């Protein structure tokens, strides 16, 4: 997948617009894709197989300041890989997903995923198989934990969706901004 994340660095609000053609400059009235959230980060994710997905092209982006703000803009491809038994730290702005992958070898045993919210309120959504093209969302997932604070998902070996020698894709969704 390819993602573009626009994160305000203050309490402002900016929106993100994208086109794949120089002849169609991005903006409020001209875009192929957009993200116009009310608060927090705005993210555009383009998955393989979707209309505007391409790897040998140029993306044109526009940032519109709905409310004056300073911001960061990050483009990324792929997922951050996790290793069994090794902690990974990360951060997501409110209403933003951060994605990870875990390749489960054929060694058997349950898969346990623990998300410890140091600040804010992260939730976890998980899919299995299919590689990076199967990103979990708040509506599409196999397993989830949405408790206040820390979250835990147990994928038991006898679960019908459990798999060995396959990739689990983990989406961490931030309900609220981390405090500073």
């Amino acid at each position: 997948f390819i993602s573009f994340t626009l994160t305000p660095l203050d309490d402002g609000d900016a929106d993100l617009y994208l086109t794949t053609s120089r002849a169609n400059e991005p903006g409020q009235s001209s875009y192929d894709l957009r993200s116009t959230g009310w608060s927090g980060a705005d993210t555009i994710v383009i998955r393989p197989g979707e209309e505007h997905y391409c790897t040998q092209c140029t993306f044109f982006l526009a940032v519109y300041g709905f409310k004056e703000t300073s911001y960061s803009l990050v483009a990324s491809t792929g997922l951050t890989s996790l290793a069994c038994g090794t902690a990974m730290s990360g951060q997501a702005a409110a209403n933003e997903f951060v994605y990870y992958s875990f390749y489960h070898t054929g060694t058997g045993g349950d898969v346990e995923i623990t998300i410890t919210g140091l600040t804010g309120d992260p939730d976890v959504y998980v899919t299995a198989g299919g590689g990076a093209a199967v990103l979990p969302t708040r509506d599409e997932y196999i397993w989830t934990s949405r408790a206040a604070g820390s979250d835990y998902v147990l994928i038991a070996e006898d679960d019908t969706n459990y798999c060995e020698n396959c990739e689990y894709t983990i989406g961490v969704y931030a309900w609220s901004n981390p405090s500073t």
Side-chain angles (χ1 to χ4, degrees), residues 12-124:
D13 181 22
D15 298 326
L16 184 60
Y17 299 88
L18 175 147
T19 63
T20 55
S21 169
R22 179 129 203 59
N24 182 23
E25 289 194 19
Q28 285 184 290
S29 60
S30 177
Y31 53 86
D32 293 326
L33 299 167
R34 69 178 178 169
S35 180
T36 58
W38 288 97
S39 64
D42 282 293
T43 302
I44 295 172
V45 177
I46 310 169
R47 294 169 179 82
E50 292 182 347
E51 179 182 356
H52 299 291
Y53 181 83
C54 60
T55 57
Q56 301 295 319
C57 63
T58 301
F59 293 100
F60 299 91
L61 300 167
V63 174
Y64 172 73
F66 184 78
K67 179 180 172 189
E68 183 176 333
T69 189
S70 296
Y71 59 86
S72 69
L73 179 60
V74 176
S76 63
T77 60
L79 305 171
T80 301
S81 295
L82 301 175
C84 185
T86 303
M88 169 74 70
S89 63
Q91 182 173 338
N95 305 308
E96 174 184 304
F97 266 101
V98 175
Y99 291 101
Y100 302 91
S101 68
F102 171 70
Y103 188 82
H104 182 51
T105 60
T107 59
D110 298 341
V111 174
E112 300 177 50
I113 301 166
T114 302
I115 305 295
T116 304
L118 303 176
T119 61
D121 181 20
D123 291 338
V124 62

Side-chain angles (χ1 to χ4, degrees), residues 114-156:
T114 302
I115 305 295
T116 304
L118 303 176
T119 61
D121 181 20
D123 291 338
V124 62
Y125 299 82
V126 183
T127 57
V134 186
L135 294 176
T137 67
R138 291 176 49 209
D139 298 319
E140 296 181 32
Y141 55 88
I142 299 172
W143 304 275
T144 187
S145 177
R146 297 175 290 222
S150 298
D151 288 283
Y152 173 80
V153 171
L154 172 66
I155 304 168

Side-chain angles (χ1 to χ4, degrees), residues 3-19:
S3 72
F4 301 92
T5 302
L6 175 69
T7 305
L9 302 177
D10 49 30
D11 64 350
D13 181 22
D15 298 326
L16 184 60
Y17 299 88
L18 175 147
T19 63

